[in-house]
Amino acid sequence: MLRGRPRRVPEAHAATGDDPGGGADPLDAAQERRVRAVLALGGVPQADLPDGVQQVRLRLLERAASGREAPRDVSAWAAVVASNLAMDWHRAKRRQERLGERLAALRQPAEHPSGEDSSVLSVAVAQGLDELPDAQRQVVVLRFYADLPVRSIAEQLGVPEGTVKSRLHTAVRALRARLHEDEVV
C-alpha cells in the first residue's frame, strides 16, 4: 500500500496472474484439490492432472480477461469445467487404464485404512463408473465426489434439475446392480 491507498494492478497483469507484486491464483488449494479429483474420477490419467488443472485456471482467467463476470460459485464452476475436460480426455484417448487403478493411486493411506473389503469395493465402484455413459458418470462424480448439490450441477451444465436427478437415479441404479451382480455388496 502506498499512502493508505491500495496498489492498482494493471489489467494485463491481473488477468494473467503474473503481477510483479504477486497476483493471486484464481483457484485456492481446496478448489484445486476438487478439480484434480474430478479430473481423475472422470478418467484423466494421473500424469495429465496438472495440465487439466492448468486448463481450468486458464479458462477462469480467460473468462475474467474477456470482461465476463466471475461465476457466482467458482468452486462449482471449476468442478464442472474439470468434468467437461475429463469427458473430452476420455473421448480423445480411449483410456487404457482402469479407473480403479487411478483411484487407488490418489487415495492417501493415512485417511483411508487399507483393507481387502475397501479395495474390492473401490475397484468395483470404479469399474461401474467406467461402464456408465459419459453424462451419467459426470453427474455422479459432480454430486458424490465433488459434493455439488443437484441445483448447482443443473445450473452449471445448463440442464433442468429433473434431468440431473434422472441421470443420477439411473446411474446409481446401474452401479447398485453392478455391485450386486459382482457380489461385492
Side-chain angles (χ1 to χ4, degrees):
M1 262 199 218
L2 296 173
R3 299 182 192 206
R5 293 187 333 204
R7 186 172 67 86
R8 188 176 183 303
V9 176
E11 289 183 34
H13 291 300
T16 61
D18 64 359
D19 169 27
D25 187 338
L27 295 176
D28 65 30
Q31 291 165 335
E32 182 174 336
R33 281 191 304 275
R34 177 184 257 183
V35 165
R36 288 178 73 84
V38 169
L39 288 168
L41 291 165
V44 175
Q46 182 80 23
D48 291 335
L49 292 179
D51 290 339
V53 172
Q54 287 303 88
Q55 283 292 324
V56 173
R57 275 192 182 97
L58 177 62
R59 290 188 185 179
L60 188 56
L61 290 170
E62 287 173 340
R63 180 183 175 106
S66 72
R68 291 183 286 168
E69 69 180 58
R72 273 187 299 189
D73 184 350
V74 173
S75 190
W77 181 89
V80 170
V81 169
S83 178
N84 288 335
L85 285 171
M87 287 176 57
D88 292 344
W89 249 300
H90 179 68
R91 289 181 189 124
K93 293 193 180 227
R94 302 284 182 210
R95 59 190 173 173
Q96 300 296 316
E97 300 175 22
R98 304 290 284 163
L99 186 57
E101 295 171 32
R102 289 187 293 279
L103 287 173
L106 288 177
R107 197 170 34 195
Q108 298 176 359
E111 293 179 9
H112 301 282
S114 61
E116 190 175 327
D117 291 344
S118 174
S119 294
V120 168
L121 182 59
S122 293
V123 169
V125 169
Q127 288 172 339
L129 280 172
D130 238 359
E131 295 172 1
L132 291 176
D134 290 340
Q136 289 178 10
R137 181 177 42 257
Q138 182 180 34
V139 295
V140 167
V141 169
L142 291 172
R143 178 66 188 104
F144 298 112
Y145 293 97
D147 200 28
L148 295 179
V150 169
R151 179 175 299 199
S152 289
I153 296 168
E155 286 174 5
Q156 295 296 325
L157 294 178
V159 298
E161 285 184 49
T163 299
V164 173
K165 290 177 183 178
S166 173
R167 289 176 185 171
L168 279 171
H169 176 78
T170 303
V172 169
R173 189 175 58 210
L175 286 171
R176 186 177 293 127
R178 166 71 189 244
L179 294 175
H180 285 295
E181 180 180 299
D182 292 347
E183 298 180 357
V184 174
V185 290

